[in-house]
Amino acid sequence: MELFTKYYMEWKGGRKSFNISYLNIPRFYYRLPAEDEVLLQKLREESRAVFLQRKSRELLDNEELQNLWFLLDKHQTLPMIGEEAMINYENFLKVGEKAGPKCKQFFTAKVFAKLLHNDPYGRISIMQFFNYVMRKVWLHQTRIGLSLYDVAGQGYLRESDLENYILELIPTLPQLDGLEKSFYSFYVCTAVRKFFFFLDPLRTGKIKIQDILACSFLDDLLELRDEELSKESQETNWFSAPSALRVYGQYLNLDKDHNGMLSKEELSRYGTGTLTNIFLDRVFQECLTYDGEMDYKTYLDFVLALENRKEPAALQYIFKLLDIENKGNLNVFSLNYFFRAIQEQMKIHGQEPVSFQDVKDEIFDMVKPKDPYKISLQDLINSSQGDTVTSILIDLNGFWTYENREVLVASENDNATDIDDT
């Protein structure tokens, strides 16, 4: 290294600019083993497994959590607030000393201040603190569990990695006990698609483990461990068995020729069957198809976009379809192009077509774009009216709902009054 540095600096024209600290810069890049370097790959996998096991042993186990709860309860500070046990900072520190080294990270002034609300005695709720610890332990456990499926070892999961994780998770979720094993592959595809649709907007084929932990999807999935989960909760949970069977059942019902794929004509019957032909044309132009037909995975993206039109990822999906000129914005021409199909559908149903000029003005009033002549995706997201605007342009039923919103609200109010009277 000394010889290399000497000759390199001479070649560069002297040693004036050389700093001795360059010799002490630690190594910060480690090349990943190539596919043919089997021994290095095995070494890396084993070292990662050992590291994750060590991290797992650092977490509080059930017995240690029970001991922590016992200590907190023993050191509570009176008076209680209703049935809520409280603890002051002095006793909080005492519990921290007795709880053991694994708990040290939780017994800091920062954590205490974070949980301190409007208690007149300067105390925090024992239950809130214990839930905070439980949540942290759960997050670390889940991160370690997900990291075991991170084949590349770089903090993200590919589609196949997440598929393996969810497939092995199914037997631990009582709410999925009724699923036939033959349906597992479709269930896994349905579950994984939601993660990738919302967490991988650039379609890189991988998502960060941190992003998985930060979103609520994993909570929804693990909610299926509850054997007494209500019917309402199951219906609103994308990952529940009824929800997955509903989505897959819809796909099978649309597939009239039973070839496992959807044509444009078959997809046109989706929902209320009032999506415009122009919008469906754009779906098949922009989305991945096979000989002009849509597979189940592409269909899931379509469903997730239309069922979650308020979400930025869904608006991004629909915006790309509306942006026929690929300019990154919607101008009057784009809006007119799509609304003409709504006007044509109105004529077919014997309704008087609404003037585009009026609708265009209403859309720009709702969105209030930075540029008064065009609407960007960010304008649509910022306006919180993206779901309404997209419904007006792509779905006759959505437009009708918007056009008759005042009548519908009045009808709902009348129904509510009737219920109150009874």
Side-chain angles (χ1 to χ4, degrees), residues 44-59:
R44 190 165 186 273
E45 286 172 15
E46 285 299 317
S47 59
R48 281 188 66 247
V50 170
F51 170 75
L52 292 172
Q53 285 170 7
R54 190 173 77 242
K55 283 292 178 186
S56 184
R57 287 195 296 271
E58 290 173 6
L59 299 176

Side-chain angles (χ1 to χ4, degrees), residues 28-206:
F28 57 86
Y29 172 72
Y30 293 86
R31 180 180 64 84
L32 289 175
E35 287 185 13
D36 58 342
E37 295 176 318
V38 180
L39 192 60
L40 285 176
Q41 283 188 342
K42 287 290 181 187
L43 175 64
R44 190 165 186 273
E45 286 172 15
E46 285 299 317
S47 59
R48 281 188 66 247
V50 170
F51 170 75
L52 292 172
Q53 285 170 7
R54 190 173 77 242
K55 283 292 178 186
S56 184
R57 287 195 296 271
E58 290 173 6
L59 299 176
L60 293 169
D61 59 29
N62 286 338
E63 189 177 329
E64 288 165 328
L65 283 168
Q66 286 176 359
N67 182 52
L68 175 61
W69 176 256
F70 171 75
L71 287 170
L72 287 166
D73 189 52
K74 188 178 177 183
H75 288 80
Q76 61 176 278
T77 311
L78 297 173
M80 296 173 71
I81 298 180
E83 295 183 1
E84 190 91 28
M86 310 294 284
I87 188 169
N88 63 17
Y89 188 60
E90 184 182 347
N91 287 345
F92 178 77
L93 292 178
K94 285 179 183 176
V95 174
E97 289 171 6
K98 295 178 181 179
K102 285 187 183 180
C103 293
K104 190 176 179 182
Q105 59 178 309
F106 303 115
F107 288 88
T108 64
K110 187 177 179 181
V111 171
F112 190 89
K114 190 185 289 186
L115 298 173
L116 183 62
H117 297 302
N118 297 321
D119 182 67
Y121 303 100
R123 304 167 303 170
I124 62 171
S125 160
I126 286 176
M127 180 57 77
Q128 282 185 8
F129 172 70
F130 189 71
N131 286 340
Y132 170 84
V133 173
M134 291 273 285
R135 177 72 180 170
K136 284 286 186 183
V137 170
W138 178 83
L139 279 171
H140 282 104
Q141 282 175 341
T142 309
R143 175 158 193 165
I144 290 167
L146 288 167
S147 297
L148 291 170
Y149 294 84
D150 174 14
V151 176
Q154 294 190 301
Y156 61 77
L157 296 184
R158 300 167 305 172
E159 207 161 328
S160 57
D161 301 331
L162 193 54
E163 284 173 354
N164 290 333
Y165 173 74
I166 291 176
L167 185 62
E168 293 183 24
L169 196 64
I170 290 175
T172 70
L173 305 174
Q175 286 294 338
L176 301 181
D177 284 348
L179 283 185
E180 296 286 337
K181 287 201 172 182
S182 58
F183 186 67
Y184 277 13
S185 60
F186 294 102
Y187 175 81
V188 168
C189 180
T190 306
V192 167
R193 213 57 235 142
K194 180 161 188 176
F195 283 95
F196 274 84
F197 182 82
F198 288 103
L199 302 181
D200 182 29
L202 299 179
R203 304 296 178 254
T204 60
K206 58 189 181 184

Side-chain angles (χ1 to χ4, degrees), residues 245-258:
L245 290 166
R246 170 185 66 84
V247 175
Y248 186 63
Q250 286 173 347
Y251 183 77
L252 293 180
N253 289 334
L254 292 172
D255 182 20
K256 284 299 178 186
D257 59 7
H258 306 296

Side-chain angles (χ1 to χ4, degrees), residues 4 6 30 57 77 144 163 219 245 291 313 315 328-329 384 406 418:
F4 168 78
K6 177 179 175 239
Y30 293 86
R57 287 195 296 271
T77 311
I144 290 167
E163 284 173 354
D219 288 336
L245 290 166
D291 294 326
L315 288 175
N329 57 68
S384 300
E406 292 174 1
D418 291 342

Side-chain angles (χ1 to χ4, degrees), residues 186 189-190 244 247-248 251 260 294-301:
F186 294 102
C189 180
T190 306
V247 175
Y248 186 63
Y251 183 77
M294 176 186 286
D295 71 347
Y296 184 56
K297 192 179 287 187
T298 306
Y299 173 75
L300 287 172
D301 284 349

